[in-house]
Amino acid sequence: GSQCGFCTPGWVMACAGFLLSDLPKTPNNMEQFFDGNLCRCTGYRPIIQSFMKLLNGEKADCTGSCETCTACDETQEGHSCENDRGHESSSGCCGGACGGADITESASGCCGGACGGADMTDIEDLVPLKKVTTIVRGERQGTLHLSDAKTDFFQPNTLQNAADLFLRLQAEGFDRKDIGVNAGHTGKGGVEKYYNGTAPYHRSIETKVIVDVNAIPELQNIATSGSLHTIWSGVTLNKLIAYFGSLDYEPFQAAKRHISVVANNQVRSAGTWAGNLVMAQKYPDFPSDIFLTLTALDARVSFLNYQGEVVGNVPVQNFCKQSYFKDNCALLLNFSVEQKEGSWVARRFKLTTRARNAHAHASCFFIARFESGKIAAATVAVGGTTKYVESCPRTAQAMVKAAPDEDTAISRVLQVFQNELIDLGLNEEDDLTRKEYRLLASRNCLLKFYLYANGEGGDESLERPVGGKGLQEFSINLESLPVTAPVTKVGARLQASGEAIYTHDVASVTDPRSTLHGALVFAQEPGKILASIDYSKARRMGMVEHVDARDLKHSKYIKDGDEKLFLEVGDAVPSVGFPVALVLFKNEEDATKIAAAVDVKYNSSGSSSREPQLPPVYNLVDAMKLKRIVAGVDEVASIHKGDVKCGLANSPLRLSGMTSTGGQKHFYFETQSAVCRVGEGGEVEMRSSTQNLSGTQTLVAKLLGIGNSKVVVKQKRAGGGYGGKISRSYQVSGSAAVAAMKTGRTVAVVNDRGMDLQLIGGREPQIIEYDIGFDEQGKIHAVNFLIHCESGSTLDGSLGDLAMSILWMDHVYSVDNFLCQGILYKTNVSTNTSCRSPGNMQSNFVYEDLVHRIANKIGKSVREVQELNFYQAGDVLPFEKDGTSLGDLGGEVNLQRCWRELWTKAKVEEKQRAVDEFNKANSLKKRGIANMPVKYGISGSGYKQQTRVLVYEDGTVRVGTSGAEIGQGLATKVVQCCSLRLGVDMAKIEVHESDTGNNTVNNGVTGGSATSEVCCQAALNACDVLLRRLKECAGYEGPGGSVSFEDAVSTAVDTGVSLSADGWSNPSCASEFQYFVWVATCAVVELDVLSGEVVVLSADIQYDCGEQLNADIDVGQIEGGFVMGLGYFLSEKVVFDKENGMLKSAGTWEYKPPGMLDVPAEFNVRLLRNVANNAKGNVLRSKAVGEPPMVSSASVWLAVRDAIVQAGGSMDLACPATIDERLLAVTKSK
């Protein structure tokens, strides 16, 4: 379950927390417990499966059975067939019966029999875990007072002490705004920065005084007096959930359910209901679930004012909205709610971008008392749709008057509700979520309430089956072990224990006292001219030093003259977030505050002396209108085949139009990080979380005016990359290098999450025009595509990404007449760059959408149209140069086999029948199914990688490679290859960090899916050199020979033979692609047609990996890529402010990668068996896995659209298909 490993310790600790909790140890409870943990790499399936084994004390026993061997039709556990390289397992490991070789893994995992069927050691057996002892409350006399130069910290231990403290603080002249009350610190440390006006830095604002109330025992109380329940302000959200859940009263049960989806488990464990409510009081547009719940429950609050008086019985709406209470509340004390007599029905709804850990776009809470089948009393509370959380008395009154089972009466209530929402004041925000959605969804929530009251459904949310289910099927080549086997990732245990070192850790580990911490200063007004940079306030706050364009004595640029490291005074501002300076401070936490204090001024009139001043544009549509073209069709690669104009004219049927695709953030977990130190003789040592060590070396050398040999760039691992650290790491590493040289001290620059999202662009938004001609059978005769692509403020890699969109545009379909061209545009937003499966993610999706539209238009099944147009062996690709074809598909075309096995092994026809039956039986929920084929071309050119292998006299080995280990398992695969070629056990091979002073010289970037394979080839080449030497000096013939490796090494050492070798791999390819990866995917989803919520029920992936290098790693890459793509298509919406170009989705509050509850509940990955990559230059017959799975995730979008169509909605659906777009598509006519 560990890939980049940056999130792994958090998962381990969360799992320990669950096992130590009082919750019943059920799979559902475990899955719900992890609603606050994210992972960008794995796809979650291996994580939850691993943790599920720990339930009820279960160990990871090695058990399972094997399916029928297709080579000899024999069914037997551990069966090995001479005619077959391997066999499949559908339920786990064979316990070693297979001889540790030809097995495949399943839902419970397999170690190749290496465990011998034995139990794993539980860490608790070694170090028993104990609950942390709680500090005894109330024993200390008086109020604790601690202080430093910035802050006074007080901790009263009684309410009277607290009252006295507030009086004292007022007497000493402290402004009330300078006093902060702290309990869980979850709001101040997390959410508040998105509401306090500190964008684009999004920082918390610390108060001069902190009053910590955790030592006041009264605030932990929950009291009951008759029907009145009083909950004090120190009660955490989780304790409140447990209390409401213990009471047999439907409104409290509904409150429990609503509070259970506030934030995440970590926040609910520490945060209090009072902190959430005070946040709503302080920031009225904060969508507080607690405010909504207490409004629905008609709660009354009490608080302590600054005069030491208790003010009680205040309606919660008044408390949050009236200025008197805002100005006079020193400490919120409690809320009281009444448990009323009668028969009550309560339903609550929270509609969000993803299943959990997301704020509401629209939320509603309905409570009604029924008498004789009629509503006798009701309360209604809403949020999100209205600007603030509101009570709806008119709607409640209308509900009392209306018969709950009469359609006309319900329609009248719905209209009253809509009118009241409008009168209360709608939330006009329309970028992150469309306001028309919020109004419609709220109406539908009320309709759901009535449906529930009448026993006709009306679920509060879609119920997702417990996840973690899935098969992982693959075969193993017995002759290639340990290559192809499911070998544990090198360093996985260090990652799980938290011992693995990342760039961010280096400064605190190696040089914590002398290290300076840097933060970039952002420009904020695109289109204006940078006039001045004033550091006066920053100096007063303790800034140690700064660097800006004036410190760049040798080079100003980070990208070929197109992009500067820092803007100079007089430059036009390209975008919000473009760096103008770097400030240095003694600690990381305060560096961002120092950066925000720098006063940057602009001129709005006149023009820059360096470039023309144009009005800024912040989206592709406007850029197209204003023709902000930076590369036209003549400057961009194109593909062409046949006579498109004639083919279109002669086609019986045509579709034409345009489709838009959104952007996507990389959201690697380790943000851009660099630590730079200048050593003796001016040698520069740089540690960077980059995907491009040699490029970073060259950049730093140019900026500092020194030779590359003076710069050593090192990296052990990076916490993810996905293309975002190929060149976008240059701003951080470049500024750190300049600052280190200027100050002579170690400088660490680590972006926080919000700054990183603002600074770094992502996947390019595209608008693709299409004209496609076909006949009544669905045969496509001609296609014409024109791709409009948005680069952002500078070019970076967008030209190459657009070329990938074009070169991959033919997808899996053979067409006689084909043309695809592109145009690249600049906008005034963050520079976009390569993002996992760049370009082809968009183009393949659009083409597949058109195939589905063709099927819909002619009344054929999608499968018929797909198969009619599939590429066949020998088909010519649409690549021509000077009228000459550049080749055919070459090698094996495994598309048909992938497709066929998907339909049989995933039982697609059975799934389709189940979907049809479900849809006939349900009107409020619909299911959709879609099957997606993929052809992904892998280019073998331009990688330039090397591996150094060192053999020591004791027979142990050390390898170092030029590729960056970013979670893709590169280092593990290199070790496997060295083990195979040298005949050395993997346990004897250590991995050296990548290092331009040792094993990385003039290398290419890590990216494009094939870097692991190229580094492995370099390792094999180095091993071959060593084997020749060992054979010559000691007669070593490899494993199984008469001379052992250790004896051969000893002889070589004694005779003075060098046991150090470098391997180099720089593959070239005569045609555009070296080989193709083939994938087929089936996805099934369920859609709530009244809310737009979706759950992904299952995903089945059939993948052509050749002979995989590492079964576990490659399956993990497939799953992780698919889930990252799922985020692109369903939840990850990149939004810029229309007025100033500032990123509005700059943080986890608005940008939502998938969580554990968003991924397929059943997730099956099957690798084709008995296949090999025989293309020229192949590496041990393997194929790449990093990026092709991303494209296959479009199957989920297509399945969602299918569900929408089944509900009577439109085929026109946005990308990403967020919750609002889904519901609005349902309401559109076909």
Side-chain angles (χ1 to χ4, degrees):
S2 177
Q3 288 189 24
C4 87
F6 204 76
C7 70
T8 308
W11 284 98
V12 172
M13 295 305 295
C15 184
F18 174 74
L19 295 175
L20 291 170
S21 74
D22 296 327
L23 291 170
K25 302 305 181 286
T26 66
N28 182 63
N29 282 344
M30 172 172 270
E31 197 170 53
Q32 301 292 327
F33 194 86
F34 298 130
D35 62 358
N37 291 79
L38 292 176
C39 177
R40 192 56 151 173
C41 296
T42 65
Y44 296 99
R45 190 276 313 162
I47 296 175
I48 192 63
Q49 277 191 357
S50 298
F51 289 164
M52 290 289 185
K53 295 176 185 178
L54 301 175
L55 296 180
N56 301 316
E58 179 188 345
K59 301 292 185 179
D61 290 341
C62 198
T63 59
S65 61
C66 298
E67 293 182 338
T68 301
C69 172
T70 58
C72 61
D73 296 326
E74 181 175 352
T75 302
Q76 179 183 347
E77 288 193 43
H79 166 68
S80 180
C81 173
E82 293 180 0
N83 300 319
D84 196 0
R85 291 184 185 274
H87 67 272
E88 295 181 8
S89 165
S90 60
S91 60
C93 174
C94 326
C98 57
D102 82 356
I103 26 144
T104 61
E105 188 172 89
S106 76
S108 61
C110 181
C111 58
C115 63
D119 289 347
M120 295 173 65
T121 301
D122 193 319
I123 192 171
E124 290 190 54
D125 296 335
L126 303 176
V127 184
L129 297 174
K130 298 180 180 179
K131 291 187 177 180
V132 177
T133 303
T134 303
I135 298 174
V136 178
R137 308 291 186 185
E139 290 186 353
R140 188 185 64 249
Q141 297 297 316
T143 296
L144 175 68
H145 180 201
L146 304 172
S147 65
D148 61 18
K150 298 186 300 179
T151 308
D152 282 285
F153 175 89
F154 296 93
Q155 190 183 65
N157 62 344
T158 67
L159 277 178
Q160 186 57 56
N161 286 345
D164 294 342
L165 174 62
F166 287 118
L167 285 170
R168 169 187 156 193
L169 292 172
Q170 289 221 109
E172 292 179 0
F174 282 99
D175 190 286
R176 294 175 184 179
K177 294 180 180 179
D178 291 332
I179 303 171
V181 177
N182 173 68
H185 199 66
T186 56
K188 175 72 73 174
V191 175
E192 186 179 23
K193 61 188 177 184
Y194 299 110
Y195 290 90
N196 61 13
T198 59
Y201 296 99
H202 294 294
R203 70 192 189 283
S204 61
I205 300 175
E206 300 298 335
T207 54
K208 295 179 180 178
V209 175
I210 297 174
V211 179
D212 183 272
V213 297
N214 286 298
I216 302 176
E218 298 98 314
L219 298 186
Q220 310 298 321
N221 290 341
I222 297 177
T224 303
S225 177
S227 62
L228 193 67
H229 301 264
T230 301
I231 291 85
W232 287 73
S233 60
V235 172
T236 64
L237 294 170
N238 272 348
K239 289 180 181 178
L240 181 58
I241 290 166
Y243 181 70
F244 276 148
S246 69
L247 301 173
D248 186 18
Y249 181 54
E250 181 55 30
F252 288 170
Q253 290 293 321
K256 169 207 165 185
R257 295 193 298 273
H258 201 74
I259 300 169
S260 294
V261 294
V262 172
N264 55 64
N265 182 63
Q266 289 93 329
V267 169
R268 295 192 299 271
S269 296
T272 64
W273 66 265
N276 189 287
L277 188 64
V278 169
M279 185 80 73
Q281 184 193 59
K282 188 174 183 180
Y283 304 104
D285 53 343
F286 170 63
S288 167
D289 294 300
I290 298 301
F291 188 13
L292 178 87
T293 301
L294 297 186
T295 296
L297 295 175
D298 193 25
R300 300 291 194 270
V301 302
S302 299
F303 65 90
L304 185 71
N305 67 19
Y306 286 96
Q307 287 72 46
E309 303 164 336
V310 175
V311 180
N313 201 37
V314 180
V316 70
Q317 280 280 320
N318 295 352
F319 175 77
C320 285
K321 293 180 178 179
Q322 294 181 8
S323 58
Y324 170 79
F325 300 112
K326 292 183 181 182
D327 295 339
N328 287 279
C329 177
L331 174 62
L332 183 56
L333 296 177
N334 57 54
F335 76 81
S336 297
V337 289
E338 185 179 357
Q339 184 173 339
K340 300 176 182 179
E341 296 292 333
S343 176
W344 293 87
V345 172
R347 304 297 279 171
R348 38 67 53 195
F349 304 90
K350 180 178 180 180
L351 305 179
T352 58
T353 299
R354 67 180 174 208
R356 291 293 176 85
N357 200 14
H359 69 78
H361 299 305
S363 55
C364 302
F365 209 126
F366 305 100
I367 301 175
R369 178 167 56 85
F370 280 75
E371 292 181 0
S372 302
K374 295 184 178 181
I375 296 177
T379 58
V380 178
V382 297
T385 303
T386 49
K387 190 172 183 180
Y388 311 117
V389 171
E390 302 283 2
S391 177
C392 300
R394 283 162 38 194
T395 303
Q397 186 178 12
M399 292 172 68
V400 171
K401 294 180 180 179
D405 55 354
E406 294 181 5
D407 290 346
T408 55
I410 294 174
S411 295
R412 286 195 298 272
V413 175
L414 291 173
Q415 190 59 51
V416 170
F417 186 38
Q418 177 171 311
N419 292 340
E420 186 170 19
L421 292 176
I422 293 171
D423 292 344
L424 287 168
L426 294 178
N427 180 357
E428 294 298 320
E429 206 289 316
D430 195 39
D431 293 329
L432 294 161
T433 311
R434 293 168 64 178
K435 58 184 178 183
E436 57 187 302
Y437 163 78
R438 293 191 291 268
L439 185 59
L440 173 61
S442 295
R443 277 180 53 109
N444 288 350
C445 288
L446 180 52
L447 176 59
K448 280 189 171 191
F449 171 84
Y450 278 112
L451 290 170
Y452 176 78
N454 293 324
E456 299 176 13
D459 294 338
E460 291 180 334
S461 59
L462 277 182
E463 183 176 347
R464 174 185 179 271
V466 176
K469 304 179 184 68
L471 304 175
Q472 301 82 51
E473 296 182 357
F474 47 80
S475 57
I476 293 173
N477 187 342
L478 296 169
E479 299 173 357
S480 299
L481 296 177
V483 173
T484 75
V487 175
T488 300
K489 182 177 182 293
V490 171
R493 289 176 174 81
L494 292 174
Q495 292 171 341
S497 66
E499 297 171 273
I501 300 296
Y502 296 83
T503 298
H504 188 184
D505 302 315
V506 170
S508 59
V509 171
T510 60
D511 202 11
R513 293 186 178 181
S514 64
T515 297
L516 294 175
H517 296 268
L520 292 167
V521 180
F522 288 161
Q524 299 185 37
E525 298 191 28
K528 294 187 177 181
I529 305 303
L530 180 62
S532 64
I533 309 171
D534 185 354
Y535 300 97
S536 301
K537 184 177 179 181
R539 287 194 183 94
R540 291 194 296 270
M541 294 173 65
M543 179 185 74
V544 176
E545 186 56 273
H546 70 268
V547 294
D548 55 29
R550 292 169 293 184
D551 295 295
L552 304 179
K553 310 299 184 184
H554 305 281
S555 173
K556 301 175 182 178
Y557 294 94
I558 62 174
K559 284 289 289 184
D560 301 326
D562 176 57
E563 182 177 0
K564 291 181 176 180
L565 177 61
F566 299 122
L567 291 180
E568 297 179 84
V569 171
D571 285 345
V573 175
S575 61
V576 174
F578 204 102
V580 299
L582 180 82
V583 296
L584 300 171
F585 193 64
K586 59 187 177 182
N587 65 62
E588 181 181 334
E589 180 183 357
D590 291 323
T592 302
K593 299 174 187 176
I594 300 290
V598 175
D599 186 11
V600 182
K601 289 186 168 56
Y602 312 89
N603 290 329
S604 56
S605 59
S607 61
S608 169
S609 60
R610 301 181 179 89
E611 54 188 281
Q613 186 179 0
L614 298 171
V617 293
Y618 304 124
N619 59 72
L620 181 55
V621 172
D622 289 343
M624 290 168 63
K625 290 178 182 177
L626 296 173
K627 300 187 184 303
R628 298 289 175 84
I629 297 172
V630 292
V633 291
D634 295 332
E635 303 167 88
V636 178
S638 64
I639 54 176
H640 177 254
K641 178 183 177 183
D643 188 334
V644 173
K645 184 176 180 181
C646 182
L648 288 170
N650 292 331
S651 296
L653 298 169
R654 286 170 74 168
L655 285 175
S656 61
M658 62 174 57
T659 298
S660 298
T661 62
Q664 184 180 27
K665 293 293 186 178
H666 306 86
F667 212 87
Y668 34 69
F669 272 31
E670 182 189 22
T671 58
Q672 302 284 359
S673 306
V675 179
C676 189
R677 181 179 67 87
V678 179
E680 63 179 38
E683 182 176 282
V684 176
E685 179 182 288
M686 167 70 68
R687 291 190 175 270
S688 173
S689 62
T690 185
Q691 293 175 243
N692 188 357
L693 277 77
S694 287
T696 300
Q697 178 190 38
T698 298
L699 167 76
V700 170
K702 286 183 177 180
L703 289 172
L704 300 182
I706 58 180
N708 281 28
S709 61
K710 281 269 195 178
V711 180
V712 177
V713 181
K714 298 181 179 182
Q715 182 199 95
K716 183 71 171 181
R717 60 181 65 83
Y722 319 111
K725 296 178 179 177
I726 292 175
S727 59
R728 304 322 300 163
S729 59
Y730 288 174
Q731 291 161 313
V732 166
S733 55
S735 59
V738 174
M741 185 62 76
K742 181 176 182 178
T743 62
R745 295 171 64 176
T746 300
V747 171
V749 182
V750 179
N751 289 344
D752 69 20
R753 176 63 60 192
M755 292 179 68
D756 202 82
L757 288 170
Q758 183 71 64
L759 176 69
I760 311 298
R763 188 183 308 283
E764 296 88 352
Q766 292 186 352
I767 295 176
I768 301 180
E769 295 185 62
Y770 59 85
D771 192 353
I772 185 166
F774 53 97
D775 60 29
E776 293 83 354
Q777 301 306 311
K779 178 62 178 176
I780 301 171
H781 296 290
V783 181
N784 187 4
F785 289 111
L786 178 60
I787 303 175
H788 305 272
C789 182
E790 179 184 352
S791 73
S793 60
T794 65
L795 284 180
D796 196 58
S798 293
L799 193 59
D801 295 346
L802 175 55
M804 288 186 69
S805 286
I806 294 168
L807 298 176
W808 273 256
M809 190 75 209
D810 61 312
H811 194 21
V812 297
Y813 301 117
S814 179
V815 179
D816 291 335
N817 306 289
F818 190 97
L819 176 64
C820 185
Q821 299 171 298
I823 303 174
L824 189 64
Y825 301 81
K826 270 191 180 183
T827 56
N828 294 99
V829 299
S830 306
T831 296
N832 289 314
T833 192
S834 298
C835 183
R836 195 175 190 172
S837 187
N840 46 48
M841 185 79 171
Q842 300 95 307
S843 58
N844 283 193
F845 155 67
V846 169
Y847 201 162
E848 188 64 26
D849 172 38
L850 291 178
V851 170
H852 285 238
R853 288 176 181 272
I854 290 171
N856 179 265
K857 185 175 180 67
I858 64 176
K860 297 264 186 190
S861 71
V862 175
R863 182 183 185 181
E864 288 179 274
V865 178
Q866 289 169 320
E867 293 178 353
L868 182 62
N869 292 284
F870 275 165
Y871 271 119
Q872 306 292 330
D875 281 346
V876 176
L877 295 167
F879 297 100
E880 292 186 359
K881 184 174 183 180
D882 301 326
T884 302
S885 171
L886 292 184
D888 59 22
L889 287 169
E892 290 187 74
V893 179
N894 288 323
L895 171 60
Q896 282 75 17
R897 182 178 168 190
C898 271
W899 190 250
R900 182 174 64 252
E901 292 192 15
L902 174 73
W903 281 81
T904 56
K905 293 191 174 186
K907 301 178 180 178
V908 175
E909 290 180 343
E910 184 179 315
K911 282 181 166 69
Q912 181 68 69
R913 287 193 295 271
V915 166
D916 293 340
E917 290 170 6
F918 180 89
N919 289 340
K920 289 177 183 177
N922 292 272
S923 59
L924 301 180
K925 294 183 284 187
K926 295 293 181 181
R927 288 183 178 175
I929 183 170
N931 304 295
M932 172 84 176
V934 171
K935 171 179 69 70
Y936 198 101
I938 298 295
S939 174
S941 302
Y943 280 91
K944 296 191 302 183
Q945 301 294 346
Q946 70 186 95
T947 300
R948 172 167 290 179
V949 181
L950 309 175
V951 180
Y952 297 93
E953 62 181 345
D954 61 353
T956 59
V957 179
R958 190 172 187 87
V959 299
T961 185
S962 57
E965 173 57 71
I966 54 177
Q968 80 280 46
L970 180 153
T972 307
K973 291 179 177 181
V974 167
V975 170
Q976 287 176 275
C977 289
C978 289
S979 174
L980 168 66
R981 189 57 56 93
L982 294 177
V984 179
D985 191 284
M986 285 184 64
K988 292 186 175 183
I989 303 176
E990 293 294 325
V991 178
H992 186 77
E993 64 186 354
S994 298
D995 180 346
T996 62
N998 181 34
N999 51 44
T1000 300
V1001 182
N1002 309 319
N1003 300 112
V1005 305
T1006 296
S1009 293
T1011 306
S1012 293
E1013 282 72 18
V1014 177
C1015 288
C1016 284
Q1017 185 60 60
L1020 293 170
N1021 294 343
C1023 290
D1024 287 342
V1025 172
L1026 293 170
L1027 287 173
R1028 286 196 297 270
R1029 295 174 185 170
L1030 290 173
K1031 182 177 181 179
E1032 291 172 1
C1033 75
Y1036 182 62
E1037 298 288 347
S1042 59
V1043 179
S1044 71
F1045 181 75
E1046 288 78 9
D1047 288 343
V1049 168
S1050 179
T1051 300
V1053 172
D1054 290 342
T1055 56
V1057 174
S1058 170
L1059 294 181
S1060 168
D1062 287 327
W1064 178 262
S1065 182
N1066 181 27
S1068 61
C1069 186
S1071 59
E1072 191 64 42
F1073 300 112
Q1074 181 187 11
Y1075 63 86
F1076 294 94
V1077 174
W1078 304 95
V1079 193
T1081 303
C1082 176
V1084 180
V1085 306
E1086 186 171 309
L1087 169 75
D1088 187 320
V1089 302
L1090 293 178
S1091 68
E1093 295 167 291
V1094 158
V1095 295
V1096 184
L1097 298 176
S1098 67
D1100 288 83
I1101 301 175
Q1102 198 74 32
Y1103 196 96
D1104 170 22
C1105 201
E1107 287 188 6
Q1108 74 281 345
L1109 291 176
N1110 183 308
D1112 271 358
I1113 287 174
D1114 290 345
V1115 168
Q1117 284 284 290
I1118 292 167
E1119 292 171 332
F1122 183 88
V1123 170
M1124 185 173 176
L1126 187 152
Y1128 173 68
F1129 286 112
L1130 295 187
S1131 64
E1132 297 181 37
K1133 189 174 183 180
V1134 180
V1135 179
F1136 293 93
D1137 192 292
K1138 295 175 182 177
E1139 300 300 321
N1140 59 25
M1142 189 176 296
L1143 183 66
K1144 297 179 76 170
S1145 48
T1148 55
W1149 187 245
E1150 295 294 358
Y1151 193 75
K1152 299 297 182 182
M1156 179 175 282
L1157 299 177
D1158 299 292
V1159 304
E1162 181 179 347
F1163 201 171
N1164 302 313
V1165 176
R1166 301 174 177 91
L1167 306 186
L1168 286 187
R1169 299 188 316 146
N1170 306 324
V1171 296
N1173 179 10
N1174 295 312
K1176 181 181 179 181
N1178 75 81
V1179 180
L1180 298 180
R1181 301 168 297 281
S1182 67
K1183 289 188 177 182
V1185 294
E1187 294 173 316
M1190 284 282 291
V1191 182
S1192 68
S1193 62
S1195 58
V1196 176
W1197 186 96
L1198 293 164
V1200 169
R1201 205 259 305 277
D1202 182 52
I1204 290 170
V1205 171
Q1206 297 302 319
S1210 171
M1211 289 198 70
D1212 294 328
L1213 179 64
C1215 175
T1218 48
I1219 186 172
D1220 52 330
E1221 299 291 354
R1222 298 192 293 261
L1223 180 60
L1224 293 175
V1226 170
T1227 64
K1228 295 177 184 176
S1229 63
K1230 293 183 181 180

